[in-house]
Amino acid sequence: MFQERILILILSVILSHFLIKIFYNLFKKNNFLFSNYELRKIPSCMGIVFVITQIITSFLSIMLIKINCIIVFYYLTCMLFIAVISLLDDLVGDCKIKGFKGHILNLFKGNVTTGVLKAITGFICSFFISYFISTGLNELMINTIILVLSINFINLLDLRPGRAVKMTIILIIPLLLSQLSRNIFILMSTLGFLVVYLPKDLKGNMMLGDIGANTLGWTLGVQLVISMDLMIKFIVLILLIIIHIIAEKYSISRIIKSNRILNYIDQLGR
C-alpha cells in the first residue's frame, strides 16, 4: 500500500509538471491573462491542472489500490461541477462583489451573480455527498456546512502569491498523518500538484483562480468529512464559521500582515 501511495505522488508530480508548462504557455500564447494584486497580467485559472491531475490519478488509483470507488466517483463528479462553475466565475464574474453578503444582496435585487451560482452548486454537491456518508441528521447538517465553507475557505486566502497553497499543504499534513484517513491517495495526488505548483505561485507568475482554490477546498473538505469523527468535525465547523464571519468584516491580508508569525509564513519564499 505504501508503494502505491508513493507511486501516485510521483505520477501527480510528473503530470503536474508537464500540464502546468502546457497550460501556462497556452494561456500566454492566447493572451488569456488576468491582473494580479500588483495589477500585473499573468495566467490565471491554472487550477485546471489540479482538476485534470486528480481525475487521472484517481482512475489510476482505482486500478492500483483497493479503495471505495463510490466515494471517489462522488468526489470527482461533484468536483467537476464545482470546477465548471468556478471557471465561469473566473471568466465572467464581477470581482467588485465580495463575500456571501454581497452576492446575497445582489440576488435580492434580482441580479444572479456567478458567486450565487457557485454557492448553489457548492451546496448541492455538499449535501449530495454528505447524504451518502452521514449516519444521522446532525452529522448530515455538519458535513454539509463543513463542505460548503471548505469550498470557499481556500478561496479567501488566494489573494497573495503562495498563501492558499501554503495553507493547503499545512492542512494536508495532519490529514496524511492521521490513521483515520481514508482514500489517502486523494491527498497524495493533491500534495504532488502543490509541490510542483508552489514555486511558480510564489514568484507571482501564475494564479490558481477560483477553479483551483475552490476544488482544493472541496478536496480538503471531503477528506475531512469521510475521515474524522463527529467531535473533530464540530470543532472544524466552528472554526470555519468564525473565519468566514471575520472575512466578511475585515481584510484577511491586513490581519495576516499585522501578526508577526502569520506574516513571516505568508512572506516565506516570495
Side-chain angles (χ1 to χ4, degrees):
M1 186 68 75
F2 177 76
Q3 291 88 340
E4 286 87 348
R5 290 173 181 173
I6 296 300
L7 178 60
I8 294 300
L9 176 65
I10 294 171
L11 286 172
S12 177
V13 168
I14 295 171
L15 275 171
S16 299
H17 174 76
F18 286 106
L19 287 174
I20 286 173
K21 188 176 293 187
I22 290 170
F23 277 94
Y24 179 81
N25 292 331
L26 187 65
F27 290 163
K28 289 275 284 187
K29 181 180 178 181
N30 291 279
N31 201 34
F32 188 65
L33 308 173
F34 295 81
S35 298
N36 66 357
Y37 76 107
E38 295 177 325
L39 301 180
R40 186 160 59 92
K41 295 286 187 178
I42 60 174
S44 183
C45 307
M46 291 300 293
I48 193 171
V49 173
F50 171 65
V51 176
I52 296 172
T53 300
Q54 285 297 93
I55 293 171
I56 295 174
T57 54
S58 293
F59 282 114
L60 289 173
S61 298
I62 290 172
M63 294 186 289
L64 294 172
I65 309 172
K66 188 178 180 180
I67 57 175
N68 189 334
C69 298
I70 300 299
I71 291 296
V72 176
F73 175 74
Y74 292 159
Y75 160 71
L76 289 178
T77 302
C78 291
M79 183 175 71
L80 283 174
F81 278 106
I82 293 168
V84 170
I85 298 299
S86 298
L87 182 60
L88 179 67
D89 194 32
D90 280 327
L91 298 178
V92 298
D94 188 346
C95 60
K96 295 179 181 178
I97 303 175
K98 301 290 185 181
F100 285 124
K101 183 179 178 181
H103 290 290
I104 291 172
L105 288 175
N106 272 270
L107 181 62
F108 283 131
K109 295 176 183 177
N111 179 24
V112 180
T113 65
T114 53
V116 169
L117 293 177
K118 195 167 58 173
I120 293 171
T121 302
F123 175 78
I124 292 172
C125 290
S126 299
F127 181 83
F128 174 77
I129 200 168
S130 296
Y131 178 81
F132 289 100
I133 65 172
S134 303
T135 56
L137 181 59
N138 288 339
E139 188 175 19
L140 172 62
M141 292 174 60
I142 290 173
N143 286 342
T144 301
I145 299 172
I146 284 176
L147 286 171
V148 169
L149 296 180
S150 293
I151 293 170
N152 192 55
F153 172 60
I154 299 299
N155 199 29
L156 292 176
L157 301 173
D158 194 27
L159 298 173
R160 296 293 184 272
R163 182 183 295 172
V165 179
K166 288 176 188 175
M167 177 55 71
T168 307
I169 292 174
I170 289 171
L171 294 175
I172 280 178
I173 292 173
L175 286 172
L176 283 173
L177 295 176
S178 172
Q179 295 301 312
L180 298 174
S181 292
R182 293 185 291 169
N183 294 332
I184 205 168
F185 77 89
I186 291 175
L187 295 178
M188 298 298 285
S189 176
T190 303
L191 187 60
F193 164 76
L194 294 174
V195 168
V196 177
Y197 178 79
L198 178 58
K200 299 168 178 56
D201 196 4
L202 284 170
K203 292 178 181 178
N205 292 331
M206 57 185 69
M207 293 186 288
L208 283 170
D210 275 18
I211 185 175
N214 291 331
T215 51
L216 281 171
W218 170 253
T219 299
L220 289 172
V222 169
Q223 188 63 40
L224 175 72
V225 299
I226 68 174
S227 302
M228 300 302 170
D229 60 35
L230 196 57
M231 181 56 70
I232 294 177
K233 291 179 187 180
F234 183 73
I235 294 171
V236 170
L237 174 60
I238 297 300
L239 290 173
L240 283 171
I241 291 173
I242 291 172
I243 291 169
H244 277 77
I245 290 174
I246 292 173
E248 286 288 328
K249 295 185 176 182
Y250 305 100
S251 166
I252 295 293
S253 293
R254 286 184 181 178
I255 293 173
I256 291 174
K257 194 172 183 179
S258 64
N259 184 284
R260 184 179 298 178
I261 297 175
L262 293 178
N263 188 55
Y264 173 78
I265 296 172
D266 191 42
Q267 295 292 331
L268 192 64
R270 288 188 193 167

